[in-house]
Amino acid sequence: MKVLNSEELNRKFQEKIDNDIKIEPNDWMPDAYRQTLIRQISQHAHSEVVGMLPEGNWITRAPNLRRKAVLLAKVQDEAGHGLYLYSATETLGADREDTIDDLHSGKAKYSSIFNYPTLSWADMGAIGWLVDGAAIMNQVPLCRCSYGPYARAMVRVCKEESFHQRQGFEIMMKLANGSPEQKDMAQDALNRFWWPALMMFGPSDDDSPNSQQSMKWKIKRFSNDDLRQQFVDATVAQAALIGLTIPDPDLKFDKKSGHYIFGEINWNEFYEVVKGNGPCNKERIDARRKAKENGLWVREAAMAFSAKRAIKKSA
Ligand code: BYC
């Protein structure tokens, strides 16, 4: 069999991508493709797991049993998403423990949105509606990502995110149609989460160092700005439907392009939060580190049990 040189391997790899053939774990891939995927998928996994914290904070304070059961199920779903995604990084040869250590040391990023506090019950509505809404916008195209295990994981994740988005919108709808105090609470949550939700899509295309190559490899199918625009276009009408106001005085519909024009994002705030200086960065990482320490005995007990069973079996 002819041994291909690196140039031929790269050409064949790009040909597969261009023909929409999925790349699978045992296929040859350029190291930079592998590293980009490990970076993005592990950051995605960290976001799911850190993302459990702001909502977990409200499980004991949900206003009734139905809301509590729904929120509990949602937070559990996010844990599941984290697990599929950590498994997807393992198919690329990454060590799960190392990726988690990178989160705890501050080396790896996770979505900026989870560094904001959840101050009222309406924040559970705003997170479901806006944060899961933004996540769906970004993750539906990832179902067509060139890397098979990531694309397949995204199919189930998107189905669950869609339920999350609806439950969040339903909370907002109820509050917006409730007492004046409840409506104010919903508006206040929208005011605080609107801009951070837009930041979830990442820096603008001109300042996104990874986009160009990731689009060439079909890891990303749309640019950060295109997805952000799609999100704004879809969400403005939803806010109007429930009588809430998007906190952007510059927001206006542009008939010519058929899109909403929106105000300038505070990129300084975005980069500060990504660098670790957001309102809750320290609290979130401390909580994750503590969870790892507190869970040590469970992991050790499971390992000891499995070793004991292996000895019994071989005997
Ligand atoms: N926050 O070149 P760029 C959820 C980083 S969780 C922090 O555009 P890329 C949920 C970026 O990583 C859903 N960092 O990067 C869970 C890069 O840094 P490095 C989370 C950000 O990768 C619980 C640098 O900035 N979704 O739904 O091409 C409860 C330059 O950016 C952010 C995902 O993770 C940010 N917002 O594009 C409820 C989706 N934005 O690594 C809900 C998967 C950018 O070069 N990820 N950075 O040092 C992606 O689609 C892409 O990674 C991004 C960024 C669009 C986020």
Side-chain angles (χ1 to χ4, degrees):
M1 204 170 81
K2 187 182 169 231
V3 179
L4 300 179
N5 64 33
S6 129
E7 201 179 304
E8 287 165 334
L9 284 166
N10 270 296
R11 189 180 46 75
K12 279 204 166 298
F13 172 80
Q14 190 61 46
E15 241 172 55
K16 268 171 106 174
I17 302 259
D18 294 342
N19 289 314
D20 281 329
I21 297 170
K22 289 267 179 281
I23 306 300
E24 297 297 339
N26 291 332
D27 294 345
W28 184 89
M29 61 186 88
D31 194 51
Y33 176 82
R34 187 185 298 279
Q35 294 313 324
T36 296
L37 281 168
I38 292 176
R39 175 187 66 78
Q40 176 167 326
I41 303 173
S42 64
Q43 290 181 5
H44 192 164
H46 302 329
S47 305
E48 300 284 355
V49 172
V50 176
M52 295 162 71
L53 297 168
E55 288 178 296
N57 185 36
W58 279 88
I59 292 172
T60 54
R61 287 175 288 163
N64 58 46
L65 188 57
R66 174 176 170 258
R67 295 286 183 205
K68 194 194 281 277
V70 171
L71 186 60
L72 196 58
K74 178 185 190 297
V75 172
Q76 230 171 329
D77 284 352
E78 309 300 357
H81 300 174
L83 295 182
Y84 314 144
L85 289 163
Y86 284 124
S87 300
T89 62
E90 287 175 319
T91 66
L92 290 154
D95 181 277
R96 185 184 296 221
E97 286 300 310
D98 289 348
T99 61
I100 293 172
D101 287 346
D102 286 347
L103 168 71
H104 295 177
S105 71
K107 190 174 155 206
K109 296 186 170 74
Y110 58 93
S111 184
S112 48
I113 190 76
F114 302 116
N115 293 306
Y116 292 85
T118 43
L119 304 177
S120 78
W121 171 252
D123 290 9
M124 297 305 95
I127 289 184
W129 174 35
L130 302 174
V131 175
D132 289 271
I136 296 172
M137 234 13 131
N138 164 279
Q139 287 168 184
V140 165
L142 289 175
C143 297
R144 292 192 298 122
C145 158
S146 56
Y147 186 57
Y150 192 26
R152 289 189 289 272
M154 281 301 109
V155 174
R156 175 160 172 185
V157 169
C158 284
K159 284 187 185 154
E160 292 177 352
E161 299 293 24
S162 165
F163 151 69
H164 298 166
Q165 194 269 352
R166 282 155 208 231
Q167 68 84 36
F169 189 65
E170 198 224 347
I171 293 175
M172 293 303 260
M173 193 159 56
K174 269 265 170 348
L175 292 173
N177 288 307
S179 65
E181 290 80 6
Q182 286 172 319
K183 186 167 181 181
D184 286 350
M185 206 161 85
Q187 183 62 53
D188 174 62
L190 171 57
N191 293 349
R192 284 181 290 105
F193 277 94
W194 175 253
W195 292 103
L198 297 194
M199 293 174 195
M200 281 179 73
F201 294 93
S204 66
D205 295 350
D206 293 342
D207 296 318
S208 164
N210 302 298
S211 276
Q212 212 185 357
Q213 183 61 68
S214 286
M215 301 225 347
K216 192 166 171 234
W217 279 330
K218 294 189 182 169
I219 294 173
K220 285 168 99 161
R221 295 276 182 161
F222 295 97
S223 77
N224 298 356
D225 285 335
D226 284 351
L227 290 173
R228 189 169 11 247
Q229 184 68 56
Q230 275 183 36
F231 174 75
V232 172
D233 290 344
T235 313
V236 171
Q238 294 168 3
L241 186 73
I242 55 174
L244 296 181
T245 309
I246 302 281
D248 179 357
D250 296 323
L251 186 75
K252 58 172 187 287
F253 187 68
D254 177 38
K255 269 194 180 150
K256 215 169 125 206
S257 65
H259 294 296
Y260 281 93
I261 295 174
F262 53 95
E264 184 63 26
I265 290 173
N266 184 343
W267 291 116
N268 189 36
E269 174 181 324
F270 169 76
Y271 286 113
E272 279 304 310
V273 174
V274 172
K275 268 196 295 190
N277 302 325
C280 299
N281 295 61
K282 190 178 171 310
E283 189 183 324
R284 301 293 184 235
I285 293 301
D286 284 350
R288 289 310 316 157
R289 277 204 204 108
K290 219 162 114 193
K292 189 172 179 193
E293 282 162 23
N294 291 344
L296 180 63
W297 71 271
V298 179
R299 294 191 299 280
E300 284 183 349
M303 296 302 281
F305 178 69
S306 142
K308 221 162 120 182
R309 243 186 22 185
I311 292 172
K312 249 192 186 162
K313 219 172 167 188
S314 67

